[in-house]
C-alpha cells in the first residue's frame, strides 16, 4: 500500500470550527478529560532531556513503581506547556489510538476522534511525521 492510499483510508476531514464550538459550549463535563496529549512535559532524565505528550507522561510516571526515587524526582520536576492547536481533523478511532500512542493531541467526544494539528509546518497530511510513523508501523518496508 502506498502512503497516499493509506491517507485516503484514514478519512481525514478538517473540522476545526465544529470542535471549537463543542469545546466552547460543553458545560456538562470536564472537557480536559476528553483531550489527550494537549500538554507537553519536558523531563530531565539522567540520559538527557525528553519531551512527551501528557498522556505518555502519565503512563510512564504511573509505571515507575516505588523503587526508583531518582526517576520519580525527574518526573515530579518536569516542566510543561500547553500546545496551541491550529486545526482539528476528524479521524477514525483506530488512527486516534495510534496518534495518542505517539504523543499527538487527540480529542474524543460523542463517539468521534479529532486529531489536533499543532505544528503549522505539518498542516497537510502529505508531510505529516505522525501519519508517516503510523504508516511505517502498519506497513514496514
Amino acid at each position: 500500500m502506498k502512503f497516499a492510499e493509506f491517507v485516503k483510508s484514514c478519512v481525514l476531514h478538517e473540522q476545526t470550527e465544529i470542535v471549537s464550538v463543542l469545546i466552547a459550549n460543553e458545560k456538562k463535563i470536564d472537557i480536559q478529560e476528553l483531550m489527550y496529549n494537549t500538554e507537553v512535559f519536558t523531563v530531565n532524565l539522567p540520559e538527557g532531556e525528553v519531551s512527551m505528550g501528557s498522556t505518555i507522561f502519565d503512563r510512564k510516571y504511573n509505571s515507575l513503581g516505588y523503587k526508583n526515587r531518582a526517576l520519580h524526582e525527574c518526573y515530579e520536576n518536569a516542566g510543561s506547556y500547553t500546545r496551541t492547536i491550529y486545526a482539528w481533523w476528524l479521524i477514525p478511532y483506530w488512527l486516534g489510538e495510534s496518534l495518542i500512542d505517539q504523543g499527538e493531541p487527540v480529542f474524543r467526544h460523542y463517539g468521534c476522534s479529532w486529531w489536533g494539528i499543532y505544528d503549522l509546518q505539518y498542516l497537510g497530511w502529505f508531510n505529516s511525521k505522525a501519519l508517516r510513523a503510523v504508516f511505517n508501523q502498519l506497513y514496514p518496508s
Side-chain angles (χ1 to χ4, degrees):
M1 175 178 270
K2 294 181 182 174
F3 182 64
E5 294 168 346
F6 166 74
V7 172
K8 284 181 185 176
S9 72
C10 293
V11 195
L12 298 167
H13 296 287
E14 196 277 332
Q15 294 192 336
T16 305
E17 188 62 30
I18 292 169
V19 174
S20 298
V21 169
L22 284 174
I23 291 171
N25 293 327
E26 185 61 67
K27 300 191 184 354
K28 297 176 189 169
I29 55 173
D30 181 8
I31 210 77
Q32 293 305 316
E33 292 179 9
L34 305 173
M35 294 191 169
Y36 301 84
N37 297 315
T38 55
E39 266 191 303
V40 175
F41 285 84
T42 304
V43 183
N44 290 315
L45 298 172
E47 57 271 6
E49 188 175 275
V50 177
S51 292
M52 61 189 86
S54 53
T55 304
I56 305 299
F57 175 86
D58 291 342
R59 286 180 192 164
K60 289 187 177 195
Y61 182 72
N62 292 332
S63 69
L64 284 177
Y66 297 104
K67 296 181 181 177
N68 196 336
R69 184 69 192 141
L71 273 181
H72 270 280
E73 287 181 14
C74 291
Y75 277 82
E76 288 168 2
N77 296 326
S80 68
Y81 64 91
T82 303
R83 289 176 170 155
T84 301
I85 306 296
Y86 296 103
W88 289 102
W89 288 76
L90 180 64
I91 56 173
Y93 188 87
W94 64 267
L95 181 56
E97 283 295 307
S98 294
L99 292 172
I100 289 170
D101 290 343
Q102 287 185 45
E104 290 291 308
V106 173
F107 173 59
R108 291 200 158 145
H109 199 24
Y110 294 118
C112 297
S113 297
W114 291 274
W115 172 28
I117 305 297
Y118 62 93
D119 188 345
L120 291 177
Q121 180 180 0
Y122 301 110
L123 194 53
W125 61 265
F126 45 84
N127 60 359
S128 168
K129 288 181 182 177
L131 286 182
R132 282 264 178 216
V134 172
F135 176 75
N136 291 337
Q137 284 176 354
L138 294 173
Y139 304 100
S141 10

